[in-house]
Structures are given as structure tokens and as C-alpha cells.
Amino acid sequence: MLPLVLTASLALAADPAAVSYYRDVRPIFVQNCQGCHQPAKPQGGYVMTDLAALQKAGESGKAAIVPGKPDASLLMASITLKGGKAEMPKNREPLTAKQIETVRAWIGSGAVDDTPANAKLSDIDADHPPHYRALPVVTSLAYSPDGKILAVSGYHEVLLHKPDGSGLLGRLVGLSERVQSLAFSPDGKWLAVAGGSPGRFGELQLWDVDKQKLKYATTLTFDTLYGVSWSPDGKMIAVGGSDNTVHGIDADSGKPVLAMGTHSDWVLGTVFSQDGLHLASVSRDMSVKLTEVVEQRFMDNVTSITPGVLKGGLMTIDRRPMKEKKLQKVPQDTPGLKPQAYDELLFAGSDGVPRLYKMHRETKRIIGDDANKLKVFEPLPGRVSAIQFDADGSRFVAGSSLDGRGEVRIYDVEKGSKIICEKVTGPVYAAAWNPDGKSVVSAGFDGTVWIHAADGKLLKSFPAAPLDRVSK
């Protein structure tokens, strides 16, 4: 008797009708094609996010898909290998022979769309932005480096607000239903957006801030991405995935260039060292791990791996801006190791406790030690989803949630003292410092954005997105 997998493969080859668009073909398009062929970036005038769009002609005027006739379909000609190369996907590895044959079999069997009704992508795009009857849950906030733009996550989009919340500057509408994390490039020219559609794809979008145009969208994994960060030189973007992996992306091309898979649960936050040579990541697995970027090599667990040292999963991380540049000490048990830039990491998560650690070990390792720990701060109520230093690293803001309530605090790093921000009306999932250091912004479950002065006084609150007016 043939193995079940081989039997299924032979049946598929014998019966092209067994190929499913939703199960077999759609994932190929999501992973390889939709980054350049979606409403926000219809390269060649062609969109591949639903079957109706797939069957339309692009700029060439030729039908991309002719149901039942793969040899007459321009799509097949574009993805078929000729001399080991293919026209599409552009600037990426060609599809595998199996993927090409899957697409061919689907077109040959009539190019039927078997997508379940509840899994169809919406008709939301730049010309048809989301309409809100209720405010969206805000999962991320980011100020541009010059403080002139406040980016706020929404549904299928990022809303660009004036920094004081007095009006919208733009709306960046993309393919991902969920936007989980935002980060401006060091020079402020680009906005990296991590998110995706749960159970379908994870996506990293890169937007030209001035033009409000999508440069590219890179699809990674089959679930949502989190914790986006930039290398200090702006050449690499890092994200975490629910595939338990840290991913590094070439910022210019959008190509994956790094993958680290030593976490055992979702990776929710990333941050580079100040010299860009190392990448720290936090996960629901209750660990902070350090990756050497160039060699793509796991270096160390920043925290102790002894059970009970951390009480829950970690959700957010930031690197402390250092007023004075200095080098770490070299551990005694690693002769010949070159000193790295001295960095400090702040992270928090499910147990509500912000913790400050050295990024690099400076003492000989002893099993079970917690030698990198510098300071532990008074816990916030509930779980901490957001944490960020101010520009000089003397203070940090943290936001938490518990039982339908939220809290925003500003901590003094050296003194350990705290200020509780007033009039926060719901669970907090996002918080950031204004680059001028005079105020913090936060938001969360109820879709209200709060701006607080550094002394905790509420300066202003406003809705994250425009609400539709519903006639009575």
C-alpha cells in the first residue's frame, strides 16, 4: 500500500480539479505576488488579491488568467521558468516547479474561486478607506523623528495625525487587517508597518512618508507579525513572528536576510544594539534573546533561564539611549572576544514589571545567574504592552491593562520614581514619547488617544480615527 501522502500527491496529479484556490493557490500568491500586486501598489496595473482582479488584464492588455486555458494565460507565461529564470516574481526567487504546476492545474480546471465567504478580503483600499462606526483598538503609536507626524494604527490602515491631534495628515491603507507595530526610519523618510491577517499571512509594509505611497509589502509566515524595529543605519528592519522566529529584512529591497528561530513562542518585540551588530528580541516564552546580525547566530539569553526569574511572557522592549558611548567589559571566560558597544535594555510583559538589563554579559557565566540585571521597577497593574525611553534615556513611559482598565506611567530611570498619568479611560496597548521630551502619547482598547505632559497632566484626548455619522 502506498503512503497516504504519496497517494494524495498522485491523486492531485491525476485530477487537476482537486486543486483548491483557497487552500493551494492563494498561499502562493500571498507569499510571492501580492506585495507588488495589491490595491496600495498595483504594479503593472495588476492586482492579485481576489479572483475578479486576477482575471483582469494589466497594462499589457492581455488576460492574465483564461479559465481552462493555462497556455493562453499571461500569468502562466510570467511565472514559467525560461533558462532557469522567470519574469515574475520580480527581483525574487522564482516559484518552485511544484508551485508552478499547482497554478497551472488550477487554471486548467477552470480557475474556480472556492474562498469561504468569511475569508474573502475586503474592498478597502486608498480610494475606499475604512469607515468606523466604533473607534478601532489602537495597538501601536509612533512619532516621526522630527515630531511633526503621529502615526496611529487602525483597521487595514495607519492614520497620520498632526502631532497635537488637531487633524489628519493622511491615511496609509494596506492589505493587512491588523496593524500591530509601527516604526519610523532613523531619518524619518520611511514608516515600517508590521501586521497581517491572522491565520492567513504576516506582512511588513514600507511606506514613503512624504509621498504616502507604499514602496513594498513583504509577506512572511502565515500569521501576524509584531515588534518592528530599525537598525541604527536604517539598512535593516526586524520583526517578530507568531512562527516563533525573528526576521530581518533588507530595508531597501524588502528581501528577508535574517532568521533566528531559537524562541519557543511568539516573538513580540525587537530592538537593535546601538552599533547594529546585535538584535535583541522578547517573546511569550519569557526570554530575552540576543542574535549576532552578520553571522545570524544566537549569542545569549540576556535574562536568567532559571524557571521563576520571570513570571510571564514578555511583550515589549526598548534600548536605552546612552548619553556617553562606552564599551562593555569582556567576560573572563571569553578571551579574545572584542568588546561591543555597551547597551542597556528595558523590557516588560505579563507580570507588569519593567526591568533594566545590560545587553551583553560582562562576567563569567555561572549556571542560573542573573548577572545582566541592573534594576527592577515598581510593577504596573496588569500586563505591560508598551514601553519606550525618552530621547536622552533618563525617563521611560509604560502602558498596561487589567480587567478593563489601563494605566500610563512615566518613570525616572535613576531614581526609580513614577508619575501616573491622569484620566486614562481604558486598557493601554501603545505609548510613545514626543521627541521633544515634553509629552507622551498613549492609546488602547477604547480608541482614544491621550496626550499627557511629562508631569502626568492630561493635555488632550482625541479619537484615533474619524467616526461615521449615523443618521437617526
Side-chain angles (χ1 to χ4, degrees), residues 75-109:
L75 176 63
M76 283 306 306
S78 299
I79 65 174
T80 300
L81 295 172
K82 301 179 184 68
K85 297 182 180 180
E87 183 182 349
M88 294 293 170
K90 192 173 183 180
N91 298 323
R92 297 188 64 171
E93 292 294 320
L95 302 185
T96 65
K98 182 178 180 181
Q99 289 173 325
I100 295 170
E101 186 54 38
T102 297
V103 176
R104 172 178 287 277
W106 171 67
I107 295 175
S109 64

Side-chain angles (χ1 to χ4, degrees), residues 315-329:
M315 304 175 68
T316 179
I317 186 171
D318 195 21
R319 172 173 51 80
R320 186 180 186 184
M322 304 302 294
K323 296 179 181 179
E324 297 180 3
K325 306 296 182 183
K326 61 179 181 177
L327 297 179
Q328 68 165 102
K329 299 176 183 177

Side-chain angles (χ1 to χ4, degrees), residues 264-446:
S264 59
D265 209 325
W266 293 13
V267 181
L268 299 179
T270 65
V271 68
F272 285 87
S273 59
Q274 60 183 311
D275 58 14
L277 298 178
H278 292 85
L279 178 62
S281 51
V282 294
S283 166
R284 298 196 313 185
D285 65 8
M286 296 186 288
S287 74
V288 184
K289 294 186 183 292
L290 196 61
T291 300
E292 189 179 64
V293 173
V294 176
E295 299 293 334
Q296 299 192 36
R297 179 166 60 100
F298 168 69
M299 288 291 294
D300 197 9
N301 286 290
V302 176
T303 55
S304 171
I305 59 175
T306 301
V309 172
L310 298 178
K311 306 297 183 183
L314 298 175
M315 304 175 68
T316 179
I317 186 171
D318 195 21
R319 172 173 51 80
R320 186 180 186 184
M322 304 302 294
K323 296 179 181 179
E324 297 180 3
K325 306 296 182 183
K326 61 179 181 177
L327 297 179
Q328 68 165 102
K329 299 176 183 177
V330 176
Q332 298 173 1
D333 58 345
T334 54
L337 179 68
K338 294 181 180 180
Q340 307 291 340
Y342 177 84
D343 281 315
E344 295 179 3
L345 299 173
L346 181 71
F347 50 86
S350 296
D351 66 0
V353 180
R355 291 177 166 88
L356 186 68
Y357 274 62
K358 291 179 289 189
M359 176 180 277
H360 299 285
R361 175 174 292 274
E362 294 185 325
T363 60
K364 183 178 179 179
R365 178 182 293 280
I366 300 174
I367 298 301
D369 71 8
D370 203 12
N372 286 12
K373 183 171 69 174
L374 293 171
K375 186 175 290 189
V376 175
F377 298 87
E378 182 180 332
L380 286 87
R383 64 180 61 205
V384 177
S385 299
I387 208 160
Q388 189 184 75
F389 282 107
D390 65 359
D392 67 6
S394 63
R395 300 166 296 176
F396 67 87
V397 61
S400 71
S401 58
L402 177 67
D403 297 335
R405 301 186 303 275
E407 192 162 297
V408 178
R409 291 185 184 177
I410 297 172
Y411 288 83
D412 183 292
V413 178
E414 298 303 327
K415 297 178 182 178
S417 58
K418 70 178 187 298
I419 294 171
I420 299 176
C421 295
E422 65 179 14
K423 300 178 182 178
V424 172
T425 56
V428 180
Y429 304 140
W433 277 94
N434 189 310
D436 65 11
K438 296 179 180 180
S439 62
V440 297
V441 65
S442 56
F445 182 77
D446 67 4

Side-chain angles (χ1 to χ4, degrees), residues 117-174:
N118 63 355
K120 290 183 181 292
L121 293 173
S122 68
D123 295 328
I124 294 173
D125 56 33
D127 296 325
H128 308 88
H131 291 274
Y132 297 95
R133 297 292 178 88
L135 292 176
V137 175
V138 177
T139 54
S140 188
L141 298 160
Y143 277 105
S144 58
D146 61 8
K148 294 181 179 180
I149 300 173
L150 173 61
V152 181
S153 67
Y155 175 71
H156 266 289
E157 68 173 335
V158 178
L159 299 113
L160 302 181
H161 286 266
K162 293 180 180 179
D164 62 356
S166 60
L168 276 174
L169 299 170
R171 302 175 73 170
L172 310 180
V173 183

Side-chain angles (χ1 to χ4, degrees), residues 198-239:
R200 282 177 264 177
F201 63 87
E203 183 183 49
L204 173 68
Q205 303 168 4
L206 187 67
W207 293 85
D208 182 311
V209 177
D210 287 340
K211 297 178 181 178
Q212 298 186 16
K213 296 291 185 181
L214 182 68
K215 180 177 181 180
Y216 60 73
T218 295
T219 304
L220 299 166
T221 81
F222 294 101
D223 212 325
T224 318
L225 300 178
Y226 302 88
V228 65
S229 65
W230 286 82
S231 63
D233 61 7
K235 294 182 178 180
M236 185 181 289
I237 304 170
V239 290

